Amino acid sequence: MLQPPVILVNEKDEPVGTMEKMEAHQKGLLHRAFSVFVINSKGEMLLQQRALHKYHSGGLWTNTCCSHPLPGEDVLAAAHRRLQEEMGFDCGLEAIFSFTYRAALDNGLTEHEFDHVFLGVYDGVITPDAEEVLSHRFLPLGTIRRLLAEEPDTFTHWFQLAFPKMEAYLENKEKGGE
């Protein structure tokens, strides 16, 4: 069964083509992705544990949801779509930062993504798709920081890279900064 295509991009996030998702990961080609971080009104972050059968990083903890926009799909619209599909809710999202990373995965695949990071606030009901999500939980930022230091292998590679940037953004925002 063919996977949906991803948008291949250059280092400036300019589209250079499309490719079937698995092939792009097998070849380690740079493609557009997004990561959604959701916090509640207490400032706790919503993490998901990826379903065990995911094509990579199964069983690992990560941000609220992440995926790839489809060709022709706006990244923010894709983030809203996947948040609803994976976690069963939607909320306002704000673009915070983007970064590029490359990571060899344990199954011979390579993540090479230009990742757009979004932040939302949500306190309502969460009804995750069991095909996508094994578990979920809200945790204080300090607890996440401690777990990342003590048990890094239980988190996805991209989360380990993005969390410090998101934490710094949230702390700066709390102090009244931008």
Side-chain angles (χ1 to χ4, degrees):
M1 183 170 130
L2 283 180
Q3 295 284 322
V6 295
I7 303 165
L8 301 177
V9 297
N10 62 23
E11 292 292 333
K12 296 178 182 177
D13 193 36
E14 298 167 334
V16 296
T18 63
M19 183 176 284
E20 186 266 330
K21 180 168 69 172
M22 194 59 72
E23 183 181 359
H25 287 98
Q26 289 167 341
K27 294 180 176 180
L29 298 178
L30 182 62
H31 57 280
R32 189 174 290 158
F34 60 85
S35 295
V36 176
F37 285 75
V38 172
I39 58 173
N40 61 20
S41 58
K42 296 185 226 173
E44 299 168 321
M45 188 173 285
L46 177 58
L47 302 183
Q48 74 150 280
Q49 185 178 25
R50 291 170 58 88
L52 295 175
H53 65 270
K54 297 287 279 188
Y55 70 101
H56 71 78
S57 307
L60 297 183
W61 287 94
T62 197
N63 49 287
T64 309
C65 86
C66 50
S67 190
H68 310 92
L70 299 170
E73 184 179 32
D74 176 76
V75 181
L76 179 59
H80 282 289
R81 174 179 55 81
R82 287 303 294 167
L83 184 57
Q84 181 66 50
E85 291 170 356
E86 286 188 31
M87 301 304 288
F89 72 89
D90 195 11
C91 64
L93 296 174
E94 174 186 6
I96 303 300
F97 61 88
S98 59
F99 69 105
T100 302
Y101 73 96
R102 184 181 183 101
L105 303 173
D106 57 6
N107 59 1
L109 299 177
T110 299
E111 280 279 33
H112 191 194
E113 297 187 332
F114 191 105
D115 197 6
H116 296 260
V117 180
F118 297 93
L119 174 65
V121 179
Y122 184 74
D123 286 304
V125 176
I126 302 166
T127 54
D129 178 352
E131 288 296 309
E132 299 284 344
V133 180
L134 179 63
S135 186
H136 68 280
R137 61 186 175 180
F138 277 102
L139 289 176
L141 300 182
T143 301
I144 297 170
R145 188 179 335 104
R146 180 181 53 77
L147 290 171
L148 280 168
E150 294 173 358
E151 306 169 21
D153 292 344
T154 64
F155 291 91
T156 62
H157 184 76
W158 64 88
F159 182 76
Q160 293 178 50
L161 296 172
F163 176 78
K165 295 176 188 209
M166 180 58 73
E167 184 180 32
Y169 172 84
L170 291 169
E171 288 173 355
N172 187 45
K173 189 173 180 177
E174 190 175 283
K175 294 175 184 172
E178 284 297 318

